[in-house]
Amino acid sequence: VQGQQDDGGLSQVVPLNGSNYAVARFNFGDNFYVPNATINSNAISSSIDLGGYSLLELVPDAYVKILRVTLNGKPMLLYASNTRNRQIAILGYEEATGKLSGSRYLGFANPYEIASIQSTSDGGLIICGTTYLASRFPRICLFKLSREEVEKTFR
């Protein structure tokens, strides 16, 4: 999949099944989430043709992590990235339909940036990132969301 030189491309790709993928893409600073993109692995294509949901709240050419999970018995895709307000945004989409099922924002007074997101053994989420004290001293931050919080947020 081609981008537009270094101004467009794929931020994150997660295989779903066959030729379907969960994709996060960027193009000239804009960001797009595509929960169910069809990509032919035997052909050349352009990331622009994938379309997707435009996310104006994200920083330009945002770093994105995608996590596949099962919540409330449904396969879900959780997209985690950095907002212009310096928070970590987690948006959940139903894997089958691509419908937005909920969102959660982490961080408040200090700037925060995502590093990774993982499921925990108790059905919750752990989110690792960086926060900046006095907007310039980086520190590791961890957020733990319980299974109940995750299932309530991403219905």
Side-chain angles (χ1 to χ4, degrees), residues 88-109:
I88 297 171
I90 305 171
L91 281 73
Y93 295 91
E94 293 179 12
E95 188 175 305
T97 65
K99 178 184 171 190
L100 180 67
S101 66
S103 60
R104 179 76 185 252
Y105 295 85
L106 305 173
F108 177 68

Side-chain angles (χ1 to χ4, degrees), residues 5-50:
Q5 297 175 13
D6 62 350
D7 292 314
L10 303 178
S11 309
Q12 178 84 48
V13 178
V14 172
L16 299 177
N17 57 49
S19 59
N20 293 331
Y21 300 85
V23 174
R25 69 178 191 86
F26 64 96
N27 192 53
F28 288 92
D30 295 331
N31 300 283
F32 302 87
Y33 289 170
V34 190
N36 198 337
T38 301
I39 300 173
N40 182 348
S41 61
N42 295 318
I44 296 173
S45 61
S46 173
S47 62
I48 296 171
D49 297 334
L50 297 176

Side-chain angles (χ1 to χ4, degrees), residues 52-105:
Y53 301 116
S54 177
L55 294 147
L56 300 175
E57 68 183 334
L58 300 184
V59 297
D61 301 333
Y63 176 79
V64 180
K65 297 297 285 184
I66 303 173
L67 179 66
R68 278 181 94 182
V69 295
T70 300
L71 299 173
N72 299 315
K74 290 188 288 190
M76 302 287 292
L77 299 164
L78 300 180
Y79 285 71
S81 192
N82 303 317
T83 70
R84 293 177 190 264
N85 289 337
R86 307 292 305 260
Q87 292 179 300
I88 297 171
I90 305 171
L91 281 73
Y93 295 91
E94 293 179 12
E95 188 175 305
T97 65
K99 178 184 171 190
L100 180 67
S101 66
S103 60
R104 179 76 185 252
Y105 295 85

